[in-house]
Amino acid sequence: MNDLDELIPEWLPLPDIAVRLDVEVSRVRRLIEEGHLIALRRGSPVVRMVPALMVTEDGLIPHLAGTITILRDGGFTDEELLTWLFTDDESLPGRPIDHLRRGQRGEVRRRALALAL
């Protein structure tokens, strides 16, 4: 978990995500269940939290759900998936999460598919 703390400095509890998305917390839970967001148990007291960069002022990051599905289907755990999304990749260049935030899914998906094989 310490590696994730270095890679992802800002996490938000589900109620804060709900406020950002202007939805009920139950909808945020459904988004997590459906693979649109990833939440891990963290903090003190331990609660489910989502990396803040997974949402923008406009809502969910475009194409994040598809990338999550590809990596989960490839056997990635949520921790491994988050590590990959938030780790700098010289071949992109940059972090996959930043490319997805800009709506640039092509190269991110190609790399995700290659990893998932």
Side-chain angles (χ1 to χ4, degrees):
M1 209 56 108
N2 288 340
D3 291 340
L4 282 180
D5 290 334
E6 291 175 22
L7 291 173
I8 309 169
E10 187 180 2
W11 295 78
L12 297 172
L14 302 192
D16 291 2
I17 296 291
V19 168
R20 280 207 182 172
L21 297 177
D22 193 27
V23 298
E24 297 293 325
V25 174
S26 60
R27 176 69 181 136
V28 175
R29 286 191 194 99
R30 218 169 19 261
L31 290 168
I32 293 164
E33 290 168 13
E34 294 170 355
H36 294 277
L37 292 171
I38 296 175
L40 297 179
R41 296 192 180 281
R42 354 185 0 90
S44 179
V46 176
V47 295
R48 291 173 79 193
M49 299 180 103
V50 173
L53 288 178
M54 288 195 160
V55 294
T56 68
E57 287 126 26
D58 300 325
L60 298 176
I61 293 179
H63 316 296
L64 179 62
T67 304
I68 290 170
T69 299
I70 289 168
L71 293 169
R72 280 183 173 162
D73 287 353
F76 276 59
T77 65
D78 285 349
E79 290 85 1
E80 292 168 335
L81 199 153
L82 288 173
T83 299
W84 182 78
L85 281 172
F86 284 88
T87 298
D88 197 40
D89 182 339
E90 291 179 17
S91 66
L92 272 174
R95 301 181 307 173
I97 192 73
D98 297 325
H99 283 266
L100 291 174
R101 285 178 63 85
R102 292 190 296 268
Q104 302 168 332
R105 77 168 193 257
E107 280 303 308
V108 172
R109 289 278 176 88
R110 277 190 274 288
R111 282 171 177 72
L113 282 166
L115 290 169
L117 295 177

